[in-house]
Amino acid sequence: TESLLITRKADAEAITLLKDSRQMIPLKSLDTLNIASLVIGDTILSPFQQMLSAYARVDHYNLPKEPTQKECDSIACLLEPYNLIITGFIKTSDLPQKNFGINRKAAAFIDSLSLVNPLILNVFTSPYSVATFKETDDMAAVLVSYQDNAAMQELTAQAIFGGIPLSGRLPVSAGVGFPCGSGLQRNEVIRLAFGLPEQSGIAAAGLQSIDKLMQQSISDGVFPGAQVLIARNGRVIYQKAFGCKTYAENEPVKTDDLYDLASLTKVLSTTLAVMKLTGNGSLDPDQKLSHYLNALKKSNKSHITIREIMSHQAGLQPFIPFYKKLLNGNHQDSLLIARHYSLNYPVRVADGFYISDSWKKFVIDSIIASPLLKKKEYKYSDLGFILLAEAVTQLTDQPLNSYVQHSFYQKLGLPGLGYHPRDKFSLSRIIPTEDDTVFRMQLIQGDVHDPTAAMLGGVSGHAGLFGDALEVAVIMQMLLQNGTYGGEVLLDSAIVAEFTKVQYPGSSNRRGMGFDKPAPTGEPGPTSDLVSPLSFGHTGFTGTYAWADPDNGLVYVFLSNRIHPDAGNNKITQRNIRTNIQEIIYKSMID
């Protein structure tokens, strides 16, 4: 391990940024970039391209080592819409007589592209090869990575996005413009890096018991498959997918498959929106929600504050089974449900299951009319978050999903995180949840599992979000970094501190605003006893978990579909799988 760490450190420090005339590196403002990668040397996706995709939406193109004119022309047409092209030469050579494995026609093609689109050139070979390119003056950036192997490709992609700093210098001269010793410094680390556990003070050997626990859980029918991610001190040190999408099929889960995040929606969507609106002065958590939602003014909820709602201290009913109104006995009510989309039945609940958009008003009105509990004390409820989503819509003039999309997910480079995944991705990438035999009478895949969120058209304040473990981790890391990520301040640090602290200390309510918190010592709670009191996160009904601990620089994400095929399967909680993994992580710390 030690030699591996030394090699990795030396490799990272060698990467040399020769040119960056537009000050693009590390890449910022991802919501303004439309990025393509073009790798020359192999027609299969390279480790370089796979790592670029860990940071943003990147469309990948490949050309063989010696491309024909026709191949170059067709790629040039495809690349026209992009405002940034990241190119890489792989399958290179160390031999000068082979021109270091860089085909001159291919180099001329890259030269021609750089005159049309902003272009970043990466060569995974000797710096002498840079002299093959005639238009480096017109390129946005030029990087030399010296070796062509998976580790160097991955590190270079991380450097481009600011996961690691750049400090390399040329050991030799690389053509006319780049004398020996050339190299620009980029010390700013603005995004998560990817590396070895020991680089972040965690023993890799300790984490092996996570693999064992996961395999055992799958064979015991706790869940068919899952994703686990651990990041520490700004570095992802464990990212794995386990098992299959369902028990019936043998298609393995991939690390970028999308899970129904269930109640993680509360923190990754609604709470972020409320934090941002608090930061820009549009909203005050101590103000009554009725101040922002007129429909509440004459109700029994007119006096409830946003702080009370977000910390589940508002005396709201825990749950109302709205979906039963669409059933007639044990069957779907055919007078209320249509099998096809139409103007009268525009709201998709599931495959062949559409309802009128008046049901949204019915849900909201029913929540407003519902009785309050006798006492204002801690009682977990979805209802307040459903109302909060309505308030966000009224304040921003746009639905919650588009507000968080523009304000957070696009800026952070998270294309998979969002509502309505089946509108954007193939179903094969979306993990199925319950085989619903009560309400929708089908396997749920790509539609939100939560029945109320489904009746609201798949977008709600309490459920509806889908994503993969890495995308969830980026949001948690941004919060861990007090609202800053990717070189951008997304949330005010004082607001992050306010929302992530216990709101009613001294009571039996451990909650922050939106966020769950560790239980007081000795009481049952959502975490291992080893987490710090500063830590915060949330769990989700479908078998999801996201937790951040600023004291230990830790982010831990667990995603599963434990409700497949049956939501009654609660082995994940009975066996404390999620918190047992958290315990393993803390016990593996070596610093």
Side-chain angles (χ1 to χ4, degrees), residues 205-249:
L207 300 181
Q208 283 169 5
S209 40
I210 296 176
D211 297 41
K212 287 197 193 92
L213 177 61
M214 292 301 290
Q215 302 299 355
Q216 190 60 53
S217 301
I218 289 163
S219 57
D220 291 350
V222 180
F223 38 73
Q227 294 171 355
V228 180
L229 184 142
I230 304 159
R232 185 163 194 226
N233 300 338
R235 185 181 280 110
V236 175
I237 48 115
Y238 184 103
Q239 183 187 10
K240 291 187 181 180
F242 297 91
C244 294
K245 293 173 183 178
T246 66
Y247 292 111
E249 60 177 293

Side-chain angles (χ1 to χ4, degrees), residues 128-435:
Y128 290 126
S129 65
V130 175
T132 312
F133 300 88
K134 304 291 176 260
E135 304 293 345
T136 50
D137 281 356
D138 284 298
M139 293 176 186
V142 179
L143 292 103
V144 177
S145 301
Y146 302 97
Q147 302 170 55
D148 182 17
N149 55 45
M152 214 54 171
Q153 288 186 33
E154 288 168 1
L155 286 166
T156 305
Q158 292 182 49
I160 290 169
F161 279 98
I164 58 173
L166 281 159
S167 59
R169 302 268 183 199
L170 279 185
V172 294
S173 163
V176 184
F178 309 113
C180 178
S182 298
L184 302 168
Q185 304 274 115
R186 291 289 180 269
N187 299 321
E188 206 182 356
V189 173
I190 60 170
R191 294 191 180 87
L192 283 166
F194 294 79
L196 307 169
E198 278 77 8
Q199 286 177 284
S200 292
I202 286 185
L207 300 181
Q208 283 169 5
S209 40
I210 296 176
D211 297 41
K212 287 197 193 92
L213 177 61
M214 292 301 290
Q215 302 299 355
Q216 190 60 53
S217 301
I218 289 163
S219 57
D220 291 350
V222 180
F223 38 73
Q227 294 171 355
V228 180
L229 184 142
I230 304 159
R232 185 163 194 226
N233 300 338
R235 185 181 280 110
V236 175
I237 48 115
Y238 184 103
Q239 183 187 10
K240 291 187 181 180
F242 297 91
C244 294
K245 293 173 183 178
T246 66
Y247 292 111
E249 60 177 293
N250 53 8
E251 198 184 332
V253 176
K254 298 197 221 24
T255 53
D256 65 347
D257 283 335
L258 304 173
Y259 277 89
D260 181 331
L261 301 175
S263 276
L264 297 192
T265 303
K266 292 184 176 80
V267 294
L268 302 175
S269 173
T270 317
T271 302
L272 291 185
V274 173
M275 289 165 98
K276 187 169 174 64
L277 291 167
T278 303
N280 65 25
S282 304
L283 182 147
D284 173 2
D286 289 312
Q287 182 62 264
K288 299 176 181 80
L289 182 60
S290 58
H291 183 74
Y292 307 103
L293 205 55
N294 293 334
L296 287 177
K297 282 206 160 85
K298 291 185 174 149
S299 76
N300 60 356
K301 300 173 186 63
S302 60
H303 62 288
I304 293 173
T305 67
I306 288 170
R307 191 183 297 272
E308 288 171 331
I309 286 170
M310 295 191 77
S311 34
H312 303 279
Q313 186 81 8
L316 296 170
Q317 298 289 328
F319 172 70
I320 302 174
F322 297 107
Y323 72 92
K324 289 185 175 174
K325 297 285 182 195
L326 289 165
L327 299 176
N328 186 351
N330 293 330
H331 301 284
Q332 294 172 351
D333 191 330
S334 55
L335 297 174
L336 304 174
I337 294 165
R339 295 299 161 212
H340 303 282
Y341 169 90
S342 67
L343 290 176
N344 291 333
Y345 295 90
V347 179
R348 180 193 164 92
V349 175
D351 263 341
F353 191 139
Y354 292 85
I355 57 174
S356 144
D357 56 11
S358 62
W359 281 98
K360 179 168 184 174
K361 186 175 179 336
F362 166 76
V363 168
I364 303 298
D365 289 350
S366 303
I367 294 173
I368 293 169
S370 65
L372 290 169
L373 302 175
K374 288 195 171 60
K375 221 170 141 194
K376 264 195 191 181
E377 58 185 0
Y378 173 49
K379 198 68 165 168
Y380 185 83
S381 171
D382 287 343
L383 306 187
F385 280 79
I386 296 171
L387 296 177
L388 276 173
E390 291 302 294
V392 170
T393 296
Q394 285 207 5
L395 281 166
T396 62
D397 266 343
Q398 55 183 311
L400 173 66
N401 56 326
S402 67
Y403 183 67
V404 290
Q405 193 73 44
H406 299 309
S407 304
F408 295 98
Y409 311 154
Q410 284 175 2
K411 288 176 187 290
L412 292 166
L414 309 176
L417 190 66
Y419 295 85
H420 293 151
R422 58 186 303 136
D423 293 353
K424 295 172 277 192
F425 303 102
S426 116
L427 272 186
S428 64
R429 199 179 149 188
I430 308 169
I431 304 285
T433 52
E434 186 181 8
D435 191 359

